[in-house]
Amino acid sequence: QVQLAESGGGSVQSGGSLTLSCTSSVYLHSTSCIGWYRQPPHFVEHEREGLATIDRDGKISYADSVKGRFTISKDNSKKTFYLQMDSLKPEDTGMYYCAADIGGTFCHSGYYNMDYWGKGAMVTVSS
């Protein structure tokens, strides 16, 4: 069983920055895929948007909606991965979740690809 916990959410004005952290109960090299997701208000769980992923080889992928503004990274020694969010927009508002897949073959941001999820951190961007 893998436990994930997000931290770093909050409120920020448009154009501002926030960094989210996700602490894992297992070393990240044991995962096949880690990622960050966003669930806007009034969306249901399986509609979470995949924002960024890192596969077991370190390959990074971003959704077009955040490319150039968000940066995913990881610190294996701290069992923690991060989402640096810059140039935030009101439409970035939502609950942010970190997730991990163990033993998968392909790393992609589809909701059903991930085995484990954190409880979420709220990010609110005001105009």
Side-chain angles (χ1 to χ4, degrees):
Q1 189 77 7
V2 178
Q3 295 180 328
L4 302 172
E6 302 92 344
S7 61
S11 298
V12 65
Q13 289 192 324
S14 182
S17 298
L18 280 175
T19 300
L20 300 177
S21 300
C22 179
T23 301
S24 169
S25 61
V26 300
Y27 282 102
L28 299 179
H29 62 250
S30 67
T31 64
S32 54
C33 186
I34 55 176
W36 287 97
Y37 292 72
R38 176 173 63 210
Q39 184 173 337
H42 312 303
F43 279 57
V44 296
E45 183 172 335
H46 69 267
E47 295 175 319
R48 291 175 186 172
E49 178 187 11
L51 304 176
T53 56
I54 304 177
D55 73 8
R56 64 170 77 250
D57 297 322
K59 179 182 177 183
I60 293 174
S61 297
Y62 293 101
D64 289 342
S65 60
V66 303
K67 198 172 294 183
R69 299 189 298 123
F70 291 11
T71 304
I72 188 172
S73 62
K74 64 177 181 175
D75 186 331
N76 290 326
S77 65
K78 295 182 179 179
K79 303 180 184 178
T80 302
F81 57 106
Y82 308 92
L83 187 68
Q84 171 68 39
M85 304 183 291
D86 299 316
S87 302
L88 283 162
K89 306 174 183 179
E91 51 264 44
D92 292 319
T93 294
M95 190 70 79
Y96 283 68
Y97 296 87
C98 60
D101 179 34
I102 305 292
T105 303
F106 300 106
C107 181
H108 62 85
S109 60
Y111 170 79
Y112 294 104
N113 182 58
M114 297 300 187
D115 298 321
Y116 301 97
W117 295 83
K119 294 184 178 181
M122 187 66 200
V123 172
T124 303
V125 184
S126 58
S127 57

